[in-house]
Amino acid sequence: MSFVTPKFDLVLGLSIAIFLQIMPLPIDLMGYRPNFILVMVLMVTLHYPKRHSLNMYAVAGLIADGVNDTSFGHFMLVFVLCGGVVSLLSRWTSYFASFYRICVVLFLSLLGSFLQGVIAKMQGLSSPLELMPTQAIIAVMFFYLCDRLVLKRAA
């Protein structure tokens, strides 16, 4: 059981994710940056599925819209759809072993990247869809490190 309150868990996770999302990278590596905010929200939800609702995903999506300077609701739709999938799986995901949680995050990272690409194409923006698998793998590596830290702290 975690000794940190649910609101502090989410605020701490979102602040770390926002820092990683706005951290400057060399121009060659900018396309490989995964959506850290989505990964952090998924991690908090996988560990505490009954604490959060779709409203939390919508607010996190609006925060991601502000951080990434996209149109209003671009990331909000992606976050609500990915959060809905996690909410549907919430009866099982809290009991999953690490490997299965990693598979869920890989699938949801791919789904989120694909949805972001589709929405960008609908708005007439360019979106590098060929970087999608690499972004998902980097997101899974980041999730695995955070997952280990949360499990150590909760133990």
Side-chain angles (χ1 to χ4, degrees):
M1 194 67 172
S2 177
F3 295 107
V4 180
T5 62
K7 291 180 184 175
F8 183 72
D9 241 359
L10 185 61
V11 169
L12 178 66
L14 277 177
S15 61
I16 291 170
I18 289 171
F19 172 73
L20 290 172
Q21 198 70 37
I22 63 174
M23 185 174 59
L25 289 176
I27 195 72
D28 297 338
L29 300 177
M30 289 296 282
Y32 294 105
R33 181 192 319 236
N35 193 342
F36 289 113
I37 299 172
L38 178 64
V39 174
M40 221 23 123
V41 169
L42 291 176
M43 184 194 68
V44 170
T45 306
L46 285 174
H47 285 284
Y48 311 108
K50 295 180 181 167
R51 290 184 184 172
H52 309 292
S53 65
L54 291 179
N55 295 335
M56 190 261 313
Y57 301 119
V59 170
L62 289 175
I63 291 171
D65 284 332
V67 168
N68 292 318
D69 198 27
T70 58
S71 62
F72 183 71
H74 178 95
F75 283 104
M76 186 173 115
L77 177 65
V78 173
F79 278 43
V80 168
L81 290 174
C82 290
V85 171
V86 172
S87 294
L88 288 174
L89 295 174
S90 67
R91 294 182 185 186
W92 303 292
T93 54
S94 59
Y95 301 108
F96 280 178
S98 291
F99 177 74
Y100 297 114
R101 282 196 301 262
I102 287 172
C103 291
V104 167
V105 169
L106 179 65
F107 168 73
L108 289 174
S109 295
L110 285 172
L111 177 68
S113 298
F114 178 72
L115 288 173
Q116 289 171 18
V118 167
I119 292 171
K121 291 290 183 186
M122 287 172 48
Q123 293 176 345
L125 304 172
S126 65
S127 176
L129 291 178
E130 64 271 0
L131 300 178
M132 210 169 56
T134 309
Q135 288 175 341
I137 290 171
I138 293 171
V140 165
M141 290 188 311
F142 175 72
F143 171 78
Y144 181 74
L145 292 174
C146 292
D147 190 43
R148 293 288 108 202
L149 289 174
V150 169
L151 287 178
K152 280 184 183 179
R153 190 188 61 180

